[in-house]
Amino acid sequence: QVELVESGGGSVQTGGSLRLSCRASGYKIGAYCMGWVRQSPGKAREGIAAIDSDGDTIYADSVTGRFTVSKDSAKNTLYLQMNSLKPEDTAMYYCAATRGLLVSLRPVDYNDWGQGTQVTVSS
C-alpha cells in the first residue's frame, strides 16, 4: 500500500521561501516519475513540477526559475524548494506518484496522492 505524507507547508510573505517534503512508504521514489500538484479553491489541479527515475525534471511555466523539485532515494523522500513565493502560489500542495517512467505534469497520470499541505503567501 502506497502512502505519501507531505510536510513543510505554512504561511509566508511575498518573496519568502518554503521547502515541502513528501515521505513515501510502499513505493520506491527512485523507480518512477513523481511530482507536485497544487490546487487553489475553485480551480483545477495544476501539475507544477515532476522528476523521473533518471532525475530529469520538468516544471510548469508558472513556477519555472522559482521552484526546484528533487529527491533523496536513500530517505525515500521527495522535495519541493519554493523561492520567491507570490500570493498566486497560495494553494494546497499535493505530492503524487505514477507507476510509469515518463515524466509528466498531468494530474491524470498520477496514481497515488498524499493528503496535501497548505501553502499561503500573503502580500
Side-chain angles (χ1 to χ4, degrees):
Q1 183 177 351
V2 177
E3 184 177 24
L4 304 173
V5 179
E6 302 98 333
S7 61
S11 297
V12 297
Q13 293 187 327
T14 297
S17 297
L18 284 172
R19 188 194 195 203
L20 305 184
S21 299
C22 172
R23 181 173 51 83
S25 58
Y27 180 89
K28 293 183 67 175
I29 67 164
Y32 305 108
C33 170
M34 290 192 74
W36 291 94
V37 178
R38 68 185 182 186
Q39 187 169 27
S40 303
K43 294 186 178 180
R45 288 187 171 185
E46 175 192 18
I48 57 170
I51 184 167
D52 69 8
S53 57
D54 292 328
D56 293 328
T57 58
I58 58 172
Y59 299 92
D61 290 344
S62 57
V63 305
T64 296
R66 300 187 298 123
F67 291 10
T68 302
V69 60
S70 62
K71 61 183 178 180
D72 185 331
S73 296
K75 296 182 178 179
N76 218 34
T77 300
L78 183 73
Y79 302 100
L80 184 68
Q81 178 66 43
M82 304 186 295
N83 299 328
S84 301
L85 283 162
K86 306 174 182 179
E88 51 263 46
D89 294 317
T90 295
M92 183 71 77
Y93 283 71
Y94 298 91
C95 168
T98 74
R99 309 286 173 85
L101 301 178
L102 294 179
V103 65
S104 173
L105 291 177
R106 301 196 314 161
V108 295
D109 289 333
Y110 289 87
N111 304 99
D112 300 285
W113 296 76
Q115 81 289 350
T117 185
Q118 178 67 39
V119 172
T120 302
V121 185
S122 58
S123 57

